[in-house]
Amino acid sequence: EAGVAQSPRYKIIEKRQSVAFWCNPISGHATLYWYQQILGQGPKLLIQFQNNGVVDDSQLPKDRFSAERLKGVDSTLKIQPAKLEDSAVYLCASSFARTSGVQQFFGPGTRLTVL
Amino acid sequence: AQTVTQSQPEMSVQEAETVTLSCTYDTSESDYYLFWYKQPPSRQMILVIRQEAYKQQNATENRFSVNFQKAAKSFSLKISDSQLGDAAMYFCAYVRAQGGSEKLVFGKGTKLTVNP
């Protein structure tokens, strides 16, 4: 079974530029999560989708971050314009269902460096 | 708001020996799940073990076991017969059982080094 795919793996941009990350969850997984992991910290949820609807985006900086999940499968996370503090690893995860105890499967992440 | 604290930024263990990683959490919920995730240098987070709060029995998965103390809000991970492949960042995580999103709340992690 293929895992969660993310691209690109690495991205370097200058502040005020825009960037987009792509995630393809495990086939059949209805729930998709984007986490931000700043160096030295644990991941923090940015947004959770159930199919193509948003469940929780309370920690998403909506003035610069946006996310969508077209057709309830792939998802894109965008930052525009980027700030220095956005340097982090962006992790995508998916789970089969919206059940709290169910396992979330993580992708390899995209490491973003903002100069 | 729920919080998860890992007080050991780094730990080391000799190969074949046992090590325990600590985790405490704060919540007003009575029903929830706790997890330990492993993140090797390649950064793909992998589930190690899961504990349901309403179960008194401690979870075990091969060489990995937990000591879950609900009243103390403590959830430690014991790794027995440590192997070189166990070297990684270990994250303790919490998720509420009902209501709202299923977001994982993570601690800051413990970096485990395994010495040959």
Side-chain angles (χ1 to χ4, degrees), chain B residues 53-67:
Chain B
Y54 63 86
K55 287 189 176 180
Q56 293 187 338
Q57 186 173 6
N58 289 323
T60 61
E61 286 288 342
N62 300 314
R63 299 182 295 107
F64 299 87
S65 62
V66 298
N67 183 3

Side-chain angles (χ1 to χ4, degrees), chain A residues 53-74:
Chain A
V54 175
V55 174
D56 183 356
D57 63 357
S58 58
Q59 298 184 98
L60 185 73
K62 298 181 186 63
D63 58 334
R64 297 183 300 105
F65 285 65
S66 64
E68 60 183 6
R69 191 179 182 196
L70 300 175
K71 301 180 181 178
V73 181
D74 293 7

Side-chain angles (χ1 to χ4, degrees), chain B residues 17-37:
Chain B
E17 299 204 335
T18 296
V19 65
T20 299
L21 308 184
S22 301
C23 172
T24 59
Y25 58 94
D26 187 23
T27 182
S28 58
E29 306 282 338
S30 60
D31 197 11
Y32 48 87
Y33 295 85
L34 296 165
F35 303 84
W36 279 98
Y37 275 88

Side-chain angles (χ1 to χ4, degrees), chain B residues 79-97:
Chain B
I79 306 174
S80 304
D81 186 25
S82 296
Q83 301 176 0
L84 295 177
D86 295 333
M89 285 292 293
Y90 285 82
F91 291 94
C92 178
Y94 163 101
V95 66
R96 60 196 299 183

Side-chain angles (χ1 to χ4, degrees), chain A residues 65-103:
Chain A
F65 285 65
S66 64
E68 60 183 6
R69 191 179 182 196
L70 300 175
K71 301 180 181 178
V73 181
D74 293 7
S75 178
T76 302
L77 177 69
K78 297 180 181 177
I79 308 175
Q80 182 180 8
K83 292 185 175 181
L84 295 177
E85 59 261 36
D86 298 332
S87 293
V89 176
Y90 291 85
L91 298 169
C92 180
S94 70
S95 62
F96 179 74
R98 269 201 69 188
T99 306
S100 287
V102 75
Q103 181 178 351

Side-chain angles (χ1 to χ4, degrees), chain A residues 1-2 14 19 24 30 36 44 46-47 49-50 54 58 66 73 79 83 85-86 100 111:
Chain A
E1 177 184 78
E14 297 194 348
V19 65
N24 186 18
Q36 179 193 55
K44 180 186 79 171
L46 291 175
I47 189 166
F49 290 96
Q50 177 66 16
V54 175
S58 58
S66 64
V73 181
I79 308 175
K83 292 185 175 181
E85 59 261 36
D86 298 332
S100 287
R111 181 192 291 273

Side-chain angles (χ1 to χ4, degrees), chain A residues 9 33 35 37 40-43 45 48 55-56 59 89 91 98-104 106-108 111, chain B residues 33 35 37 39 42-47 50 91 95-109:
Chain A
R9 292 295 311 277
Y33 312 79
Y35 289 87
Q37 185 177 16
Q41 299 184 20
L45 181 77
Q48 176 186 348
V55 174
D56 183 356
Q59 298 184 98
V89 176
L91 298 169
R98 269 201 69 188
T99 306
S100 287
V102 75
Q103 181 178 351
Q104 295 183 24
F106 285 81
R111 181 192 291 273
Chain B
Y33 295 85
F35 303 84
Y37 275 88
Q39 190 177 41
S42 65
R43 295 199 172 273
Q44 191 124 16
M45 197 92 71
I46 304 166
L47 178 65
R50 183 187 82 157
F91 291 94
V95 66
R96 60 196 299 183
Q98 296 175 3
S101 79
E102 291 73 42
K103 69 178 180 185
L104 290 166
V105 177
F106 287 89
K108 290 188 174 182

